Amino acid sequence: MNTLLRRPMLAGFILLALLITLLSSVVIVPETRQALIVQFGKPDRILNRTTSGQVIGGDGAGLAFKVPFFEDIVWIDKRVRDVDMERQMVLSTDQLRLEVDAFARYRVVDPLRMYIRARSEERVSDALRPILGSVLRNELGRRPFADLLSPERQGAMDSIRRNLDTIARQYGVQIIDVRIKRADLPDGTPLQSAYDRMKTAREQEARSIRATGARQAQVIRAEADAQAASTYAASFGKDPAFYDFYRAMQAYQRTFVGEDGKARPTNVILSPQNDFLREFTRGGER
Amino acid sequence: MNMTPGWAARARGLFADNKGPWGSSTGSTPPPGSGGPDNPGPASPWGTPGPNRPRGPGASVTSLDDFLARGRARFGGGRGGTTPPSKSMIGWGLLAVVLLWLVFTSFHRIAPEERGVVTQVGRYSRTLGPGIGFTLPSPLERVQKVDVENIRNVDLGSTSTETLMLTGDQNIIDIAYSVRWNVRDPELFLFEIQNPEETIQQVAESAMRAALSAVTLDQAIGEGRGQIENQVQENMQRILDSYKSGVLIQGVAVKQADPPAAVNDAFKAVSASQQAAQSDINQARAYALQLAQLSQGEATAFDKVYEQYRLAPEVTRRRMYYETMERVLQNVDKTIVEAPGVTPYLPLNQTRPPAAAIAEPGAQAPAAGAGR
């Protein structure tokens, strides 16, 4: 004790070494991570492992200890992670091309296996990405285009999830969900022809609406004409001869005088035999 | 784990002398969530300002307190013995730093919209509500504040650029929508998903496409919007719950659902033709109305005249004839040609204005058959 007090440098070093040892033997395991304890490369035990009945604040996380210098920790994410697939061109059974973009969510359930097979989560993602792509292409390629746009899609998703899951299990990873984010027609001809189809469908609709309108208008007019004809017939039919005269008088009035009472500039050449001039020429004889 | 009490005791020894000033205030408020007997570490530092604490709770606590008292005597006493001699400025400075550190890492101000998720050496321990929250000092307990009330917005697609999706009838729609969400369970939100924002975005996109694939373009553009919004919300909530994301979807709002720009003109033509058809029909209706009134009016007029005519047919007839002729011939230029058998030369071009003249060689009505 005395020697140590007399040599503060040495005391400091010893204290520092003790501190380092202490610190490197204490492990703080957060809720978000699993800790794989590795003894010189040989995996020994797993702290805070993902279990099916996940409870936050359970025994897994918290303070733990390891043998300093002999044991290392590999941290592995415990959270749900995602693999975002790059765009895939899928050819459906009816030979339609579709650009598909999907994502998968996974959780590392077997950290040991994951560590042995892939070392890190990033590499799991890298490994799963092309597999997801090919599983997706295979599954969707077996379906007609319309299926991908219908509720049937859910069935396709489940099937892809199952297929991917069996592969992912080899990496100690559980696939929780697979979803199609995008399913679009590829740019260029397919998109353009879809536009053309939409356009022509609309043009057809527009014309049919116009024609329907014209037909309805025609019917309305015809009905009105018929109604008017029946009104006239009911009234005028009572005395056709008088109607002829009455209407002729109206016609003369309208033709030569007009509705407004002003005469049209008209020249009338009358022969003396004209009925109107009968008395004029007869000179009042009887 | 079995070393924890000893470690806690050691920590307590370290803090033994600066606990005095504020131990009394915190002693009256034991930290929440640390009541279990298997969790003596955090509870003890605050719970044992020894003598002034009434001994009530129970036998197990009593024995625990005894144990802790012994521990304090061992560590705190020893420490207390060594510190007073070194009354240097460095000592006081250190003490001040330690005090400040304690204050800053033990008191947490949680805003009304926030929750403080406390992790005790990494493990989730409790969630603090709004107000002042107390925790153990920094390395032992950490607080992560999560805003749970604030409703956040994720915009997908914008009204300026096109976001094209396929509808169930294989048409293409340009859609823009936003998702409002907030955090329901701060613990799940922090601990269960890696990338919450991106997850929500991806799930929203997937759910929207699924919803659109179940409707036709016309429904999506027109009356189906509300239904789509509800469906996307439900779907998103279900998916996010399956991830245990702790996220609550408050609502989905479709801001825009239009046909793509490339075919927009054709869609406009449809509504234009709807308008045109409607105006055709309107015109026809107007004509019908007009004609009905006119015909009724004419018929009624004829009926009235006919009633009178029947009383005295011949006289009425002659009267009408002369009156009409009078009116007709009143204002026109008249030429009477009285040379039967001779065709006179008439300088028609000079005597009449450009309007049509009516030659009347016959002896019957002045303008035979001149109807309209």
Side-chain angles (χ1 to χ4, degrees):
Chain A
M1 201 64 183
N2 279 343
T3 46
L4 281 182
L5 283 176
R6 251 181 274 126
R7 302 170 75 174
M9 283 294 276
L10 184 64
F13 272 125
I14 290 171
L15 211 66
L16 201 68
L18 274 171
L19 201 69
I20 288 169
T21 313
L22 191 75
L23 283 179
S24 62
S25 67
V26 171
V27 185
I28 292 175
V29 184
E31 288 282 355
T32 54
R33 285 168 167 189
Q34 317 181 57
L36 178 65
I37 309 284
V38 182
Q39 286 176 351
F40 292 118
K42 176 177 161 281
D44 181 61
R45 60 190 189 277
I46 298 157
L47 305 173
N48 196 24
R49 185 178 174 157
T50 310
T51 49
S52 54
Q54 279 273 297
V55 189
I56 291 177
D59 297 337
L63 204 66
F65 297 92
K66 68 178 179 67
V67 181
F69 311 120
F70 286 85
E71 293 179 334
D72 281 324
I73 304 174
V74 177
W75 293 110
I76 291 160
D77 205 335
K78 196 183 177 184
R79 295 172 297 182
V80 176
R81 298 174 60 90
D82 71 302
V83 189
D84 209 348
M85 191 193 79
E86 62 258 57
R87 276 187 173 211
Q88 290 280 331
M89 193 72 86
V90 174
L91 198 65
S92 62
T93 48
D94 39 357
Q95 302 299 307
L96 281 164
R97 279 175 185 281
L98 203 61
E99 256 183 0
V100 177
D101 200 345
F103 65 86
R105 308 248 148 218
Y106 70 91
R107 208 193 264 280
V108 179
V109 288
D110 191 343
L112 181 58
R113 186 176 288 186
M114 195 221 84
Y115 175 66
I116 293 168
R117 296 260 162 97
R119 291 270 154 181
S120 74
E121 299 95 323
E122 276 67 35
R123 286 170 67 176
V124 172
S125 293
D126 290 344
L128 288 178
R129 201 166 289 132
I131 299 168
L132 173 61
S134 78
V135 170
L136 195 82
R137 233 189 351 258
N138 290 346
E139 181 64 35
L140 297 186
R142 279 196 272 127
R143 288 161 193 272
F145 182 78
D147 264 16
L148 304 177
L149 299 172
S150 68
E152 185 79 7
R153 185 145 99 163
Q154 193 51 51
M157 288 308 98
D158 286 343
S159 166
I160 292 166
R161 194 193 63 75
R162 273 196 305 276
N163 286 342
L164 188 62
D165 192 50
T166 45
I167 298 165
R169 292 280 174 179
Q170 296 167 2
Y171 293 97
V173 161
Q174 178 198 11
I175 302 293
I176 292 172
D177 198 14
V178 175
R179 255 158 225 289
I180 291 184
K181 201 163 63 166
R182 252 168 226 204
D184 289 334
L185 294 168
D187 281 343
T189 326
L191 192 63
Q192 198 50 53
S193 56
Y195 281 157
D196 288 345
R197 185 173 49 71
M198 286 174 77
K199 226 183 267 184
T200 48
R202 291 294 137 173
E203 278 161 11
Q204 180 196 338
E205 195 183 337
R207 280 193 198 182
S208 110
I209 288 169
R210 217 176 258 271
T212 311
R215 195 201 65 204
Q216 281 182 14
Q218 194 71 42
V219 168
I220 290 168
R221 274 172 214 272
E223 277 169 358
D225 286 341
Q227 184 61 46
S230 99
T231 309
Y232 285 136
S235 174
F236 303 156
K238 282 181 278 196
D239 188 342
F242 178 64
Y243 172 69
D244 189 40
F245 169 75
Y246 172 84
R247 189 68 187 78
M249 291 303 111
Q250 273 186 347
Y252 301 155
Q253 166 89 22
R254 282 180 195 152
T255 311
F256 296 106
V257 183
E259 310 275 356
D260 49 4
K262 275 185 233 156
R264 303 284 186 275
T266 313
N267 254 330
V268 177
I269 299 161
L270 296 168
S271 123
Q273 278 79 46
N274 187 295
D275 205 32
F276 182 67
L277 297 177
R278 193 182 52 208
E279 303 296 330
F280 186 75
T281 48
R282 272 202 325 188
E285 290 170 28
R286 179 86 232 175
Chain B
M1 276 322 284
N2 55 348
M3 280 183 71
T4 310
W7 161 82
R10 221 177 306 161
R12 193 165 53 258
L14 275 166
F15 308 138
D17 32 10
N18 46 45
K19 192 176 62 188
W22 48 295
S24 55
S25 63
T26 48
S28 58
T29 54
S34 59
D38 59 336
N39 200 6
S44 44
W46 324 111
T48 52
N52 56 0
R53 181 190 170 172
R55 311 208 146 210
S60 64
V61 178
T62 315
S63 62
L64 182 70
D65 278 4
D66 286 342
F67 167 73
L68 294 171
R70 256 182 280 129
R72 203 173 60 250
R74 196 151 20 108
F75 286 96
R79 185 70 179 258
T82 51
T83 32
S86 58
K87 280 176 183 168
S88 63
M89 289 301 283
I90 300 166
W92 284 111
L94 272 175
L95 191 69
V97 167
V98 167
L99 264 173
L100 274 177
W101 167 66
L102 281 177
V103 168
F104 276 109
T105 60
S106 303
F107 287 86
H108 300 278
R109 196 174 144 271
I110 314 282
E113 72 276 9
E114 288 177 336
R115 299 288 179 275
V117 176
V118 181
T119 44
Q120 201 176 84
V121 285
R123 180 198 296 185
Y124 169 71
S125 111
R126 62 194 183 273
T127 302
L128 299 172
I132 295 282
F134 300 99
T135 62
L136 296 185
S138 174
L140 308 180
E141 288 194 338
R142 276 190 62 212
V143 174
Q144 284 170 278
K145 291 176 186 171
V146 180
D147 192 334
V148 293
E149 300 291 343
N150 181 19
I151 293 179
R152 296 167 223 200
N153 229 23
V154 183
D155 283 314
L156 289 119
S158 70
T159 41
S160 52
T161 60
E162 284 198 317
T163 310
L164 301 178
M165 293 192 187
L166 279 166
T167 57
D169 49 356
Q170 302 187 22
N171 283 317
I172 299 163
I173 188 172
D174 175 17
I175 199 158
Y177 55 106
S178 64
V179 176
R180 283 169 289 120
W181 63 278
N182 67 337
V183 177
R184 184 176 54 195
D185 299 306
E187 313 88 69
L188 293 176
F189 185 72
L190 283 181
F191 302 140
E192 287 288 350
I193 41 174
Q194 184 205 9
N195 205 338
E197 306 257 347
E198 200 184 318
T199 303
I200 290 166
Q201 206 161 325
Q202 286 177 338
V203 168
E205 192 159 352
S206 161
M208 178 54 83
R209 279 171 194 271
L212 282 178
S213 71
V215 296
T216 63
L217 178 67
D218 289 340
Q219 282 173 316
I221 290 173
E223 79 275 17
R225 276 196 194 197
Q227 188 201 334
I228 289 170
E229 286 172 357
N230 288 340
Q231 213 175 334
V232 170
Q233 183 181 354
E234 273 171 35
N235 230 337
M236 285 188 72
Q237 191 64 61
R238 197 170 42 74
I239 296 166
L240 288 169
D241 283 351
S242 78
Y243 298 163
K244 293 188 195 153
S245 61
V247 167
L248 181 67
I249 301 295
Q250 293 282 358
V252 176
V254 175
K255 289 185 290 190
Q256 182 200 21
D258 290 334
V263 295
N264 213 3
D265 284 347
F267 276 78
K268 280 183 189 151
V270 170
S271 57
S273 68
Q274 276 165 347
Q275 304 293 334
Q278 195 55 52
S279 78
D280 268 3
I281 291 169
N282 289 345
Q283 277 171 358
R285 290 225 173 92
Y287 165 80
L289 219 63
Q290 210 179 2
L291 187 62
Q293 297 302 327
L294 182 72
S295 62
Q296 278 164 21
E298 280 186 12
T300 312
F302 178 80
D303 287 347
K304 295 284 176 207
V305 174
Y306 183 63
E307 255 172 51
Q308 302 311 313
Y309 166 78
R310 268 209 317 204
L311 299 178
E314 194 50 42
V315 172
T316 312
R317 206 180 163 101
R318 294 302 318 167
R319 181 184 56 79
M320 284 173 75
Y321 176 73
Y322 285 123
E323 279 175 5
T324 308
M325 282 299 122
E326 209 169 73
R327 281 198 298 273
V328 167
L329 295 174
Q330 204 170 45
N331 295 314
V332 299
D333 294 333
K334 296 163 283 281
T335 309
I336 299 171
V337 179
E338 196 176 357
V342 179
T343 307
Y345 169 71
L346 287 175
L348 287 174
N349 288 336
Q350 288 159 33
T351 54
R352 67 165 186 187
I358 290 160
E360 181 48 53
Q364 285 306 306
R372 288 213 290 167

